[in-house]
Every structure is written in structure tokens, then in C-alpha cells.
Amino acid sequence: MAESTIQQQRVVGWDKPDLDLSNAEWQSSSRGLGDVQIAFVEGFIAMRNSRRPESPSLIFTPAEWGAFVSGAREGEFDLT
């Protein structure tokens, strides 16, 4: 049986390195709720779906992460 691999496409302007997340220390929220985990790796913040940890992770710079967290706190992403 042939092995399948997920190849990440390079996006124009993508300036983030290919991080080795195999030894990342993934953290969940303090309440243990939700499906999102984050890890701090080599000066970047990685975010993944804890129910599908094999799926690709999103990678944020510290500035991007700060903007995301600020927006979430201000309700920018509320869908209700």
C-alpha cells in the first residue's frame, strides 16, 4: 500500500519556517475545553486541532498571535 503524504503548498509572502513540531509541548486551555491546542516553538506559535493532531498546524508570528488574541478578546470573531 502506498504511503500518502500531505504536502504544504508554499504561499507567496510565506515567511515562516518549516517547524519541527514532533517534540512540541502542546497546551490546551486552562479549563480543558475546546479542540484547540497551542505550542511555542522557535519563537513562533503553532495552533492545531487536538482531535486531529496529524492535520497541518497554523503557524503565527508573535505579532500575528497578539493581533489574533486581541481580536478574540474584543469579540471580533463571535459568530452569534
Side-chain angles (χ1 to χ4, degrees):
M1 182 172 12
E3 282 186 44
S4 63
T5 58
I6 298 173
Q7 295 182 0
Q8 292 181 334
Q9 294 180 345
R10 285 288 185 196
V11 178
V12 174
W14 179 260
D15 59 350
K16 297 175 187 106
D18 290 327
L19 299 176
D20 179 5
L21 301 176
S22 60
N23 293 319
E25 294 184 29
W26 294 98
Q27 303 172 30
S28 297
S29 71
S30 60
R31 296 180 189 170
L33 302 173
D35 297 327
V36 175
Q37 294 179 315
I38 62 167
F40 299 92
V41 180
E42 298 178 30
F44 292 89
I45 297 88
M47 183 167 61
R48 73 177 183 182
N49 180 339
S50 65
R51 292 187 185 191
R52 296 184 52 124
E54 72 283 355
S55 296
S57 297
L58 298 174
I59 307 298
F60 296 91
T61 64
E64 291 168 334
W65 184 252
F68 171 73
V69 170
S70 292
R73 286 182 179 148
E74 294 171 3
E76 181 179 340
F77 309 115
D78 287 349
L79 301 176
T80 57

